[in-house]
Amino acid sequence: METLQLLFNTVTVVFIATTMFAAGLGTTLPALRAVLATPSLPLLALLANLVVIPLLGWGIATLFGLSAAAFIALVLAASSPGGPFGAKLSMLKNGDVVAGTVIQVLLAAVGSLTFGLTANGILALAEVGGGISLDVAALVRTVAILQLVPFAVGLTLRHYAPLTAQLWHHAATKTSTVTFMAVLAGMLLGNWQAVVALLGSRILLAGAVLAIAAFAVGMALATGPRARRASMGGVAAVRNAGPVLAAIGIAFDDDPAILAAFAGVLVSGMAVALPIAAVLARDRDGGAA
């Protein structure tokens, strides 16, 4: 069991790093500056992901009358923006990969600082859970090593050695895709008993509703063309598992009920986010035809 967990963790790390490396290889400095030159886009993304979606998570958890463990899992997920899967959704058929990746990295970096405070505040106000104590410095280091550094390396390579970057981009993207599928499979297979046990509860539905609502909020609080707004929706719908898993381990001693509920939130959220992104991509293709 420990070997399988180690393998899953390794594949997850490879997926995150190669996804961000591939995104950097496909990004030019002028395009990057163009995204950040319009302050409204990052500011609206921060508002959506750091304020609106955590409050939505709280509201949905209350509306569905979730158990304490499920309530905590949903609030933790809603409070943790910047999941690398969001950058992957931006790569689906003509999405705004640059904007999606830049905003995802920004959210991951800022979210590593705000996650503990946001989740603590909501759980305290809701009188659920015993509070969270996270090592913020450790979270920032994790984000830097797995997301910021690979993206910066890819971006630098694209700028100074564009031909090499083009050659490596295909391999990095393919590796990202393969490991992405492996991570999804690992989540399902590794937690299938816990997920099956959740079928009679409301957490799977709550996770799906949160993902749909987050996708809508991400698109609504975005500027630019349809492709960019769709990418912002995908980034918002996918939450960052790293800080949540750290919080469950540190503050809740890897409580099996919370871990199972969080796995359910991730699976149900991805189950609705992927089809929405695919439908939006197909619509863009039809409109371009």
Side-chain angles (χ1 to χ4, degrees):
M1 189 66 181
E2 292 182 0
T3 302
L4 290 176
Q5 185 62 44
L6 178 60
L7 178 61
F8 176 76
N9 291 340
T10 301
V11 173
T12 301
V13 168
V14 172
F15 161 68
I16 295 172
T18 56
T19 297
M20 301 312 299
F21 181 56
L25 291 174
T27 303
T28 64
L29 285 176
L32 178 63
R33 285 194 293 266
V35 172
L36 298 178
T38 306
S40 59
L41 181 65
L43 288 176
L44 286 172
L46 289 171
L47 173 64
N49 286 273
L50 300 183
V51 179
V52 178
I53 294 173
L55 292 177
L56 278 174
W58 181 8
I60 292 170
T62 302
L63 179 64
F64 280 81
L66 299 180
S67 65
F71 193 110
I72 291 170
L74 195 69
V75 167
L76 292 178
S79 303
S80 183
F85 288 112
K88 190 65 181 176
L89 290 182
S90 298
M91 298 177 185
L92 289 177
K93 288 188 177 180
N94 302 321
D96 194 333
V97 178
V98 174
T101 302
V102 171
I103 296 301
Q104 182 265 313
V105 172
L106 173 66
L107 290 172
V110 177
S112 66
L113 300 173
T114 64
F115 166 69
L117 295 174
T118 303
N120 265 334
I122 292 176
L123 293 176
L125 290 172
E127 298 182 349
V128 177
I132 302 172
S133 179
L134 289 176
D135 186 345
V136 174
L139 289 176
V140 172
R141 285 196 300 271
T142 299
V143 170
I145 293 171
L146 293 183
Q147 298 184 52
L148 301 182
V149 170
F151 179 74
V153 171
L155 182 67
T156 302
L157 190 62
R158 173 63 185 265
H159 183 69
Y160 290 104
L163 293 180
T164 302
Q166 290 178 7
L167 291 174
W168 288 12
H169 185 259
H170 175 72
T173 301
K174 187 173 182 179
T175 302
S176 170
T177 300
V178 171
T179 52
F180 171 65
M181 299 306 298
V183 168
L184 282 181
M187 287 174 57
L188 290 171
L189 296 175
N191 299 283
W192 72 269
Q193 290 177 314
V195 173
V196 169
L198 293 172
L199 292 178
S201 70
R202 292 181 288 272
I203 185 61
L204 295 179
L205 180 58
V209 171
L210 175 63
I212 294 170
F215 211 120
V217 168
M219 289 190 67
L221 293 180
T223 59
R226 182 182 178 87
R228 173 169 291 183
R229 288 186 286 111
S231 293
M232 295 302 100
V235 169
V238 179
R239 313 313 284 170
N240 199 348
V244 177
L245 293 174
I248 295 173
I250 295 171
F252 300 103
D253 197 25
D254 284 324
D255 187 312
I258 300 177
L259 282 172
F262 180 57
V265 171
L266 288 181
V267 172
S268 60
M270 190 60 62
V272 298
L274 279 170
I276 292 173
V279 168
L280 291 173
R282 186 176 59 194
D283 289 345
R284 288 196 300 271
D285 287 347

